[in-house]
Amino acid sequence: MITCGRYIRSILYLLLLISVQFGPHAVEGVWPLPQAFTSSPERYPVNSQDFYFVYGRQSAAQQGCSVLDTAFKRYFSLIFPDHNSGSPADRLSWTIYLVPFCVPDNLSISAGKASLNAETVWGAVRGLETFSQLVYQDDFGSYFVNKTEIDDFPRFQFRGILLDTSRHFLPVQAILKTLDAMAYSKFNVFHWHIVDDPSFPYQSSTFPDLSSKGAFHPMTHIYTQSDVRRVISYARLWGIRVLPEFDSPGHTTSWGKGQPGLLTPCYKGGTPSGTFGPVNPALPSTYRFMARLFKEVSSVFPDSYVHLGGDEVDFHCWRSNPDVRVFMQKMGFGGDFTKLESQAFVLQRTSLSVVEVWRAGCYLCEVRRVVKAGLRVILASPWYLDQPGPTHNWARYYTVWPLAFKGSEEQKKLVIGGEVCMWGEYVDATNLTPRLWPRASAVAERLWSDEKQTSSVDKAFPRLQDFRCKLLRRGIQAEPLYVGHCKHEYQVDYKHTDLF
Amino acid sequence: MITCGRYIRSILYLLLLISVQFGPHAVEGVWPLPQAFTSSPERYPVNSQDFYFVYGRQSAAQQGCSVLDTAFKRYFSLIFPDHNSGSPADRLSWTIYLVPFCVPDNLSISAGKASLNAETVWGAVRGLETFSQLVYQDDFGSYFVNKTEIDDFPRFQFRGILLDTSRHFLPVQAILKTLDAMAYSKFNVFHWHIVDDPSFPYQSSTFPDLSSKGAFHPMTHIYTQSDVRRVISYARLWGIRVLPEFDSPGHTTSWGKGQPGLLTPCYKGGTPSGTFGPVNPALPSTYRFMARLFKEVSSVFPDSYVHLGGDEVDFHCWRSNPDVRVFMQKMGFGGDFTKLESQAFVLQRTSLSVVEVWRAGCYLCEVRRVVKAGLRVILASPWYLDQPGPTHNWARYYTVWPLAFKGSEEQKKLVIGGEVCMWGEYVDATNLTPRLWPRASAVAERLWSDEKQTSSVDKAFPRLQDFRCKLLRRGIQAEPLYVGHCKHEYQVDYKHTDLF
């Protein structure tokens, strides 16, 4: 599913000047849990002055691979947040090593060296995340890493988070920060629900009026082409795809402001009521507009998928409109507006190859129905995190078993992953982060790790608590799971104090 | 109830170089709603270059009054957040005016001048808040204020917020930021639930072991004497009292770590089980310790009240302990442990003069019961905001009618106010602010404003939305009420971007 970046086998070394110690076994673990993990009380001091990432000599990836070059810098800073003698860029050096690769990806830390073998650069980025979580500080500030052996791979290939930037505008900084946190939990898809009824913040180069008239504000509440490029390239460096969603033909109220004639005029008692419904399927201009818009979207967003939404279309307005009724007859749809919806819009644009299950209730019934039809599935229903709830309900999101339906092995393989949905009715940059994290991390482990090893909430709890403290240490405003503390609490940004 | 600061009649002028304009009536209102409020479309430009706060010549408060001197600086910055030519301190000048005072406090803005008459410095601080909310910017960045006449006073004298710093430690910065936001909503009591079972962060000068052994961390998770003084003096400048709570004899697990022998050893099968219960009432050393601790607390916290907690005492451990049972007999309490609880602890230390109603269910029944007994009441039950819920449930906190019980006028006067409780099980500095605001502001209006003028949720909604945007503009991470936007969205603090 990773459509950008190079598929190359990469081997990295993490050079440590090693001296073996046997100290207290302070490894709290890795989140999400690797597929195979063994560690020992044997531990090695790690000193930022003597720490280097180097490319293996036989590695297909070498210096100049932007994804890994930047990942080295980033993880150096994450591992040594208080390192300040010279910039990490100045300090890192790369050496070429000859090492055979292996599958699954492997991280090995032992006396003398640490090595990371990965089939792709994205696997290497995930491995660096794992390594960064293994390094810890003792009470005197010294860093250590324990002798460790890890084989790892994700259970599901699609591990997404949906952000809704229409109901509330999210500044680009808030999106970038979310991408950071996603990488820490090994999410790999940012599903960008970019426009919807309330606002159209995407600044289209083909139809600039869509945002200048449809955004909350034409200058301050939009995503320029440059903003979008920045988000995509930033996400790519973390190994995260950006899957854009331009929901239609419903959820398009904001589209109508900058594109007169696009929406269906609703009728009441034989005359237009002044209100508008979904996109107007009776006009050829609609299809021309859609084709041009989606052509632009496909070129701006390099991902091979564009999410088409297609949910919650209200048929009342279509039904009230005489032109739409005539069109229905012409097309031979009779009175079946679902035919109009799917044939006129969804199937015209793409073959429906992946179905996202959003329905509440028995979502596994729905999953089963879809895979029986031979379609691939992304599960979202149990992971709507926009609704606030006590943080301790993380366990509710953790104890979801996506394959617990009756079906063949082949059918189960059609479940390609899941995603956390953070709808925007009650969420903006003020509360996005604590509402997402660490609850979304619970979903991340479900999508990454082996189900048998991660079925116990009680076993997961201390590891998730520890991971949440790591998120705080990295500046992610992740809320607490229960009573307790972190060594490094979240630092509140505060400016007014100096007046006193 | 305000026990610190001077009771003086103060008159302030806000000098504006006035030119009258009749523009669009852009005043969205003041939150909480003043008792009497009239404004007109006549509006005056306000320019930070020509804006001065001056003391009235007849005012008892004059330059040198630290509360108002700092309030002037603070509100200048709040009114003109983008003013940057010279520091506000350099720009302000004070002139003395002779003006008669009046009750209730009055704010008058008309062509040529704005004047603020207040009976106390605290009333003047509240009036400055009101004035700061009346100034607005047009789309071109120019500031305006409309012709306005306001008479104002609070409905209830006690308008509090409880923060719990034991279940999670809140850094001092988080407390100071909360004090800012409290002042914006005209709260006047910070109820500091400073210690409890999980940790004892208060660094006592008499018993330093209480925090060195009972805090989550003896150095990083404590409030030093200097921290406490800073919080108290900071709060005072906002007209906010600090009401400390040292909950006992239950909720004292953390106390036992630094004070061996304080807690009751629990017994099982005739022998100590190794666990401990509430404070041990059978030992004279307990009473000596308590007397010394509360002597210190009373001197550190200038407020005339100390909240004694006294809730949720578990009698099982007391009952299991043979020494406690002997003590009960000696005191003639029989088997009634509530007698032990109240006589040995609560009544010994103070007369029980104000009762906080925390009980869920029919809280007005409880209020009625307490006022019938002639005691004063602070209502808390309907305002537990630590439980997360959809932001739109602000209306649930807004539509609370504290006096809607059968009782005489005299009895109703015994209800002196209410408070928002933000318990700490699931709350720390990461999510405190969005969970508190703007929902606590809904409570603030209930406690400040006239109930008849503020009974409609629909009328309050746009004004609260506008107020929430003002909070954002002031750097308070207040979460959204529903779909929409603010001119100035919350700015996410972000640092990692420069690596890319």
Side-chain angles (χ1 to χ4, degrees):
Chain A
M1 290 286 283
I2 293 165
T3 57
C4 53
R6 284 166 284 174
Y7 274 91
I8 46 170
R9 298 182 183 262
S10 56
I11 307 106
L12 310 176
Y13 274 97
L14 306 104
L15 273 200
L16 315 173
L17 287 193
I18 296 290
S19 70
V20 181
Q21 295 187 0
F22 290 86
H25 193 190
V27 180
E28 282 97 351
V30 176
W31 190 282
L33 191 70
Q35 301 289 338
F37 180 100
T38 52
S39 76
S40 96
E42 188 175 317
R43 71 176 190 176
Y44 320 115
V46 181
N47 186 331
S48 63
Q49 306 295 332
D50 307 318
F51 185 89
Y52 303 89
F53 289 111
V54 293
Y55 288 92
R57 230 191 289 173
Q58 274 193 337
S59 168
Q62 294 294 342
Q63 187 165 1
C65 166
S66 61
V67 170
L68 290 178
D69 288 356
T70 53
F72 286 175
K73 290 187 213 174
R74 207 161 50 212
Y75 277 106
F76 188 91
S77 297
L78 289 171
I79 293 168
F80 305 109
D82 44 13
H83 178 86
N84 50 16
S85 61
S87 80
D90 297 339
R91 287 212 62 273
L92 294 177
S93 73
W94 289 267
T95 319
I96 296 166
Y97 282 85
L98 272 166
V99 184
F101 53 78
C102 58
V103 176
D105 294 351
N106 166 272
L107 172 64
S108 172
I109 302 163
S110 58
K113 72 169 186 179
S115 70
L116 173 63
N117 290 281
E119 201 183 354
T120 69
V121 290
W122 316 120
V125 171
R126 305 286 170 250
L128 287 169
E129 174 58 39
T130 302
F131 178 78
S132 75
Q133 292 188 24
L134 290 171
V135 179
Y136 58 92
Q137 263 181 306
D138 68 8
D139 287 342
F140 306 100
S142 300
Y143 291 93
F144 293 92
V145 67
N146 284 55
K147 182 176 165 68
T148 305
E149 197 68 40
I150 288 177
D151 289 333
D152 209 1
F153 55 87
R155 180 184 180 200
F156 293 108
Q157 61 173 310
F158 187 110
R159 304 177 305 279
I161 289 190
L162 175 150
L163 296 184
D164 169 0
T165 57
S166 173
R167 291 179 175 82
H168 284 99
F169 179 78
L170 295 173
V172 169
Q173 300 290 325
I175 294 175
L176 300 185
K177 196 148 191 168
T178 302
L179 290 169
D180 287 353
M182 284 174 67
Y184 304 155
S185 286
K186 300 193 170 90
F187 280 102
N188 68 346
V189 181
F190 166 35
H191 176 169
W192 194 349
H193 187 90
I194 191 167
V195 300
D196 203 304
D197 284 329
S199 75
F200 196 105
Y202 171 74
Q203 189 177 48
S204 162
S205 52
T206 319
F207 302 103
D209 278 356
L210 288 172
S211 64
S212 70
K213 296 183 178 168
F216 283 133
H217 188 284
M219 304 298 286
T220 56
H221 287 61
I222 58 166
Y223 301 106
T224 64
Q225 293 286 319
S226 146
D227 289 336
V228 171
R229 273 196 303 272
R230 187 168 173 214
V231 167
I232 292 169
S233 65
Y234 191 92
R236 178 177 170 275
L237 288 172
W238 276 129
I240 296 172
R241 298 163 47 191
V242 179
L243 177 65
E245 178 180 358
F246 284 76
D247 198 353
S248 67
H251 289 280
T252 47
T253 308
S254 68
W255 304 38
K257 293 181 185 166
Q259 190 65 18
L262 178 66
L263 303 185
T264 310
C266 310
Y267 278 63
K268 201 171 181 182
T271 52
S273 68
T275 62
F276 294 88
V279 162
N280 191 338
L283 299 179
S285 59
T286 295
Y287 299 92
R288 286 196 299 271
F289 165 82
M290 287 296 207
R292 289 181 66 196
L293 179 65
F294 278 93
K295 188 178 170 201
E296 174 186 328
V297 168
S298 304
S299 81
V300 170
F301 292 89
D303 203 276
S304 54
Y305 287 80
V306 173
H307 198 295
L308 301 169
D311 61 315
E312 299 181 331
V313 180
D314 180 6
F315 297 141
H316 285 91
C317 183
W318 274 350
R319 198 174 284 128
S320 77
N321 184 298
D323 301 336
V324 173
R325 288 201 305 267
V326 168
F327 180 74
M328 292 275 287
Q329 285 186 322
K330 198 175 98 187
M331 299 294 284
F333 294 155
D336 187 350
F337 284 88
T338 57
K339 279 190 185 158
L340 174 63
E341 180 192 7
S342 56
Q343 301 213 11
F345 290 95
V346 179
L347 295 180
Q348 177 185 325
R349 292 197 305 260
T350 180
S351 63
L352 189 71
S353 63
V354 182
V355 174
E356 181 162 12
V357 173
W358 279 357
R359 198 171 290 182
C362 179
Y363 52 82
L364 285 182
C365 306
E366 181 75 4
V367 168
R368 195 179 169 208
R369 201 184 60 75
V370 175
V371 297
K372 269 189 167 175
L375 297 170
R376 287 180 294 167
V377 166
I378 295 160
L379 183 61
S381 315
W383 293 315
Y384 273 43
L385 296 196
D386 55 303
Q387 289 297 331
T391 328
H392 60 272
N393 72 7
W394 69 273
R396 194 174 115 192
Y397 308 110
Y398 191 71
T399 53
V400 167
W401 321 113
L403 302 185
F405 59 88
K406 279 196 181 170
S408 66
E409 276 309 296
E410 281 309 301
Q411 286 173 345
K412 295 199 174 182
K413 276 186 188 149
L414 290 170
V415 180
I416 60 171
E419 80 173 11
V420 165
C421 292
M422 186 53 72
W423 296 105
E425 278 86 349
Y426 305 106
V427 175
D428 72 3
T430 61
N431 56 358
L432 171 66
T433 307
R435 196 162 289 187
L436 254 185
W437 312 104
R439 295 191 300 162
S441 306
V443 181
E445 179 150 298
R446 181 56 53 234
L447 293 173
W448 179 280
S449 308
D450 178 33
E451 198 171 280
K452 281 186 196 130
Q453 295 179 62
T454 56
S455 57
S456 159
V457 167
D458 291 344
K459 272 193 194 165
F461 182 67
R463 202 161 37 84
L464 184 54
Q465 270 196 315
D466 172 62
F467 179 65
R468 183 247 167 188
C469 289
K470 284 176 180 149
L471 291 178
L472 288 198
R473 180 65 167 143
R474 296 178 179 194
I476 304 297
Q477 204 173 343
E479 67 178 12
L481 292 161
Y482 194 58
V483 173
H485 79 290
C486 294
K487 191 171 172 183
H488 299 278
E489 299 288 357
Y490 182 72
Q491 290 306 307
V492 178
D493 174 45
Y494 194 72
K495 288 173 200 129
H496 286 178
T497 322
D498 54 352
L499 277 173
F500 291 78
Chain B
M1 289 290 283
I2 294 164
T3 57
C4 55
R6 284 165 284 174
Y7 274 90
I8 47 169
R9 297 181 184 262
S10 55
I11 307 105
L12 311 177
Y13 274 98
L14 307 105
L15 273 199
L16 316 172
L17 287 192
I18 295 291
S19 70
V20 179
Q21 295 187 2
F22 289 87
H25 194 189
V27 179
E28 282 97 352
V30 175
W31 191 281
L33 191 71
Q35 301 288 339
F37 180 100
T38 53
S39 76
S40 96
E42 188 174 318
R43 70 175 191 176
Y44 320 116
V46 181
N47 187 331
S48 64
Q49 305 296 333
D50 307 317
F51 184 88
Y52 303 88
F53 289 111
V54 294
Y55 286 92
R57 228 191 294 173
Q58 272 193 338
S59 168
Q62 294 294 342
Q63 188 167 0
C65 166
S66 62
V67 170
L68 290 179
D69 289 355
T70 53
F72 286 174
K73 290 187 214 174
R74 207 162 47 212
Y75 277 106
F76 187 90
S77 296
L78 289 172
I79 293 168
F80 306 109
D82 43 13
H83 178 87
N84 51 16
S85 60
S87 81
D90 296 339
R91 288 210 62 274
L92 294 178
S93 72
W94 289 267
T95 321
I96 297 166
Y97 282 85
L98 274 164
V99 183
F101 53 77
C102 58
V103 176
D105 294 350
N106 167 273
L107 172 64
S108 172
I109 302 163
S110 58
K113 72 166 184 178
S115 71
L116 173 63
N117 290 281
E119 202 184 352
T120 68
V121 290
W122 316 119
V125 171
R126 304 288 171 250
L128 288 169
E129 173 59 40
T130 302
F131 177 78
S132 74
Q133 293 187 24
L134 290 170
V135 179
Y136 58 93
Q137 262 181 305
D138 68 7
D139 287 342
F140 307 100
S142 300
Y143 290 94
F144 293 92
V145 67
N146 284 56
K147 182 174 163 72
T148 306
E149 198 68 40
I150 288 175
D151 288 336
D152 210 0
F153 56 88
R155 179 184 181 200
F156 294 108
Q157 61 174 309
F158 188 109
R159 304 178 303 282
I161 289 189
L162 174 150
L163 296 184
D164 169 359
T165 56
S166 173
R167 291 180 176 83
H168 283 100
F169 179 78
L170 295 173
V172 169
Q173 300 290 325
I175 294 175
L176 301 184
K177 195 145 193 173
T178 302
L179 291 168
D180 287 353
M182 285 174 67
Y184 304 154
S185 286
K186 300 193 169 93
F187 280 101
N188 68 346
V189 181
F190 165 36
H191 177 168
W192 194 350
H193 187 89
I194 191 168
V195 299
D196 203 303
D197 284 329
S199 76
F200 196 105
Y202 172 74
Q203 189 177 48
S204 161
S205 52
T206 320
F207 301 103
D209 278 355
L210 289 172
S211 63
S212 69
K213 296 182 178 168
F216 283 133
H217 188 282
M219 302 299 285
T220 57
H221 287 62
I222 59 166
Y223 302 106
T224 64
Q225 293 285 319
S226 149
D227 290 334
V228 170
R229 275 196 303 272
R230 186 168 173 211
V231 167
I232 292 169
S233 65
Y234 191 92
R236 178 177 170 275
L237 290 172
W238 277 129
I240 296 171
R241 298 163 48 192
V242 179
L243 178 64
E245 177 179 359
F246 285 75
D247 198 353
S248 67
H251 288 280
T252 47
T253 308
S254 69
W255 305 38
K257 293 182 183 164
Q259 191 64 19
L262 178 66
L263 303 184
T264 309
C266 310
Y267 279 63
K268 199 169 183 183
T271 53
S273 68
T275 64
F276 294 88
V279 161
N280 191 339
L283 299 179
S285 58
T286 294
Y287 299 92
R288 287 196 299 270
F289 165 82
M290 286 297 209
R292 290 180 67 195
L293 178 65
F294 279 93
K295 189 178 170 201
E296 174 187 327
V297 168
S298 304
S299 80
V300 170
F301 291 89
D303 203 276
S304 54
Y305 287 80
V306 174
H307 198 296
L308 301 169
D311 60 314
E312 302 180 328
V313 179
D314 179 9
F315 296 143
H316 285 91
C317 183
W318 274 351
R319 198 174 285 126
S320 77
N321 183 299
D323 300 337
V324 174
R325 289 202 304 268
V326 168
F327 180 75
M328 292 275 288
Q329 285 187 324
K330 199 175 96 188
M331 299 295 284
F333 293 155
D336 188 351
F337 283 89
T338 59
K339 279 190 183 158
L340 174 64
E341 179 191 7
S342 57
Q343 300 212 12
F345 289 96
V346 181
L347 295 179
Q348 174 185 328
R349 295 196 303 258
T350 179
S351 63
L352 189 70
S353 63
V354 182
V355 174
E356 180 162 13
V357 172
W358 280 357
R359 197 171 293 183
C362 179
Y363 53 82
L364 285 182
C365 306
E366 181 75 4
V367 168
R368 193 177 173 211
R369 200 183 62 74
V370 174
V371 298
K372 269 188 166 173
L375 296 171
R376 287 179 294 167
V377 165
I378 295 162
L379 183 60
S381 315
W383 293 315
Y384 273 43
L385 296 197
D386 54 304
Q387 288 298 330
T391 329
H392 62 272
N393 72 6
W394 69 273
R396 194 175 117 191
Y397 309 109
Y398 192 71
T399 53
V400 166
W401 321 113
L403 302 185
F405 59 89
K406 278 195 180 171
S408 67
E409 277 309 296
E410 282 310 300
Q411 285 174 345
K412 296 199 174 184
K413 276 184 190 153
L414 290 171
V415 180
I416 60 170
E419 80 174 12
V420 166
C421 292
M422 186 54 70
W423 296 104
E425 278 86 350
Y426 304 107
V427 176
D428 71 3
T430 62
N431 56 358
L432 171 66
T433 306
R435 198 163 286 187
L436 254 184
W437 312 105
R439 297 191 299 164
S441 305
V443 181
E445 179 149 297
R446 182 56 54 235
L447 294 172
W448 179 280
S449 308
D450 179 32
E451 196 171 280
K452 280 185 198 132
Q453 296 179 61
T454 55
S455 56
S456 160
V457 166
D458 291 342
K459 272 192 193 166
F461 181 67
R463 202 159 37 80
L464 184 54
Q465 269 196 316
D466 173 62
F467 179 65
R468 183 246 166 188
C469 288
K470 285 175 179 151
L471 292 178
L472 287 198
R473 182 66 167 140
R474 295 177 179 195
I476 304 297
Q477 202 174 344
E479 66 177 13
L481 292 161
Y482 194 58
V483 173
H485 79 290
C486 294
K487 192 172 173 181
H488 300 277
E489 299 288 358
Y490 182 73
Q491 291 306 308
V492 177
D493 175 45
Y494 195 73
K495 286 172 202 131
H496 286 178
T497 321
D498 54 352
L499 277 174
F500 291 80

